């Protein structure tokens, strides 16, 4: 019985209250990981206590926090632990998660962490391929605008690097901004206007298509990204689809787990 083996992969996500997006993204990532690593028991945890409590109250679904998942694994006799976040960057959320895991390190023989989605220039190249193949029917004159989350952590510069990386690979019609940091929607409107697109496609550069995608990006408010581009005189088509739905993005997480496993002694 392979599941008797005392080794596990803990998949850590921020979480989402949107059921359809959860099933199409987080649960799909977890399923792909389970399929790729049959010798490992798969556990999951979310880092947003707020979203965990929403699901519990509204849907009667219990999702563990990182510490609860670790306590369960200790109880189950897991000795080797691989932790794979579905976070985009190694920012505040990821660092807090690592601290929570490492506070239990004495209960395991070994622990290895898989990198978040964008840890190396190679990851960026793979992510760009995943996004551009998803939008392969985009005309050269259409603009694809990606909405990242953004963070106060210095790693936020990754978004600007990724924007340059898209353009260096010949995708001059792809633009990235963030909801909560730089580049802002105002920067984007200016940049996209200079590109003179025939149409604009807006999509989240986030694992799930949750509140930010539905409200900040595609909402009816004039402050939403759709609203801002409308004001600037553009035709806008929002595509509400999280990155977790892209096969190529899920493959990056699988690759990061393989690298983490190879680091174990």
């Amino acid at each position: 019985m392979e599941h008797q083996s005392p080794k596990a992969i803990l998949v850590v996500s921020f979480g989402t209250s949107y059921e359809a997006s959860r099933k199409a993204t987080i649960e799909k990532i977890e399923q792909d990981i389970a399929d790729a690593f049959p010798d490992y028991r798969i556990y999951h945890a979310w880092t947003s206590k707020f979203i965990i409590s929403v699901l519990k109250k509204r849907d009667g679904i219990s999702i563990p926090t990182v510490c609860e998942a670790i306590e369960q694994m200790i109880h189950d006799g897991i000795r080797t632990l691989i932790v794979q976040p579905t976070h985009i960057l190694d920012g505040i959320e990821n660092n807090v998660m690592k601290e929570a895991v490492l506070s239990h390190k004495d209960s395991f023989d070994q622990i290895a962490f898989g990198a978040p989605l964008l840890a190396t220039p190679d990851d960026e190249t793979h992510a760009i391929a995943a996004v551009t193949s998803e939008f392969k029917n985009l005309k050269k004159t259409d603009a694809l605008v990606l909405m990242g989350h953004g963070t106060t952590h210095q790693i936020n510069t990754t978004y600007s690097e990724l924007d340059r990386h898209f353009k260096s690979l010949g995708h001059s019609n792809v633009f990235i901004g963030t909801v909560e940091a730089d580049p802002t929607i105002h920067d984007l409107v200016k940049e996209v206007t200079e590109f003179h697109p025939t149409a604009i496609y807006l999509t989240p550069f986030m694992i799930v298509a949750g509140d930010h995608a539905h409200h900040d990006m595609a909402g009816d408010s004039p402050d939403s990204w759709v609203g801002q581009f409308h004001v600037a005189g553009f035709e806008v088509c929002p595509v509400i689809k999280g990155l977790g739905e892209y096969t190529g993005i899920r493959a990056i997480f699988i690759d990061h787990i393989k690298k983490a496993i190879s680091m174990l002694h």
Side-chain angles (χ1 to χ4, degrees):
M1 296 265 296
E2 72 220 6
H3 279 312
Q4 296 309 101
S5 61
K7 52 186 188 176
I9 297 168
L10 173 62
V11 186
V12 180
S13 303
F14 179 77
T16 179
S17 60
Y18 285 78
E19 184 185 16
S21 188
R22 181 187 82 234
K23 289 183 166 160
T25 59
I26 296 173
E27 290 181 11
K28 196 76 184 71
I29 293 167
E30 291 169 1
Q31 187 56 54
D32 278 15
I33 291 171
D35 293 344
F37 303 97
D39 296 349
Y40 285 77
R41 287 183 64 167
I42 309 297
Y43 293 78
H44 66 176
W46 288 5
T47 56
S48 171
K49 291 193 170 67
F50 173 72
I51 297 176
I52 288 173
S53 75
V54 168
L55 253 69
K56 179 93 174 144
K57 282 196 194 89
R58 189 190 68 193
D59 306 328
I61 295 173
S62 291
I63 307 268
T65 62
V66 171
C67 285
E68 286 166 353
I70 297 253
E71 279 155 19
Q72 184 62 51
M73 285 187 275
I74 294 167
H75 175 79
D76 294 345
I78 301 297
R79 301 303 302 168
T80 294
L81 172 58
I82 307 289
V83 182
Q84 180 57 54
T86 67
H87 300 143
I88 304 275
L89 304 174
D90 190 16
I92 298 160
E93 200 80 29
N94 208 53
N95 288 318
V96 169
M97 178 276 289
K98 283 190 218 166
E99 279 168 25
V101 171
L102 291 172
S103 69
H104 297 274
K105 68 177 186 292
D106 296 344
S107 301
F108 297 91
D109 296 334
Q110 41 189 0
I111 297 176
F113 291 93
L117 186 69
L118 301 180
T120 65
D122 264 359
D123 292 340
E124 290 183 13
T125 304
H126 293 309
I128 288 167
V131 170
T132 50
S133 73
E134 193 68 31
F135 288 90
K136 58 180 176 292
N137 299 327
L138 203 70
K139 298 191 192 80
K140 282 288 182 205
T141 53
D142 293 338
L144 176 62
V145 176
L146 305 173
M147 173 192 257
H149 190 276
T151 171
T152 51
H153 193 282
Q154 66 265 25
I155 197 135
N156 191 70
T157 55
T158 304
Y159 291 106
S160 300
E161 284 161 25
L162 188 64
D163 186 275
R164 286 193 291 275
H165 201 153
F166 264 102
K167 292 176 172 68
S168 74
L169 293 173
H171 306 291
S172 58
N173 58 338
V174 179
F175 304 85
I176 303 179
T178 68
V179 190
E180 297 192 358
D182 293 317
T184 65
I185 179 59
H186 305 295
D187 300 327
L188 281 177
V189 169
K190 193 163 166 286
E191 211 185 326
V192 173
T193 301
E194 286 164 11
F195 179 74
H196 303 296
T198 39
I200 295 173
Y201 291 83
L202 270 179
T203 201
F205 192 80
M206 303 179 191
I207 295 302
V208 303
D211 272 331
H212 287 305
H214 287 268
H215 302 298
D216 301 307
M217 187 185 88
D220 298 332
S221 144
D223 292 338
S224 75
W225 286 29
V226 165
Q228 297 276 333
F229 279 116
H230 275 155
V231 168
F234 294 105
E235 183 192 323
V236 191
C237 175
V239 181
I240 297 182
K241 188 169 186 175
L243 290 177
E245 294 188 47
Y246 301 17
T247 316
I249 294 290
R250 296 197 300 272
I252 297 173
F253 290 125
I254 301 281
D255 181 54
H256 287 179
I257 293 172
K258 285 180 181 158
K259 287 196 174 92
I261 291 172
S262 72
M263 290 189 290
L264 295 172
H265 45 266

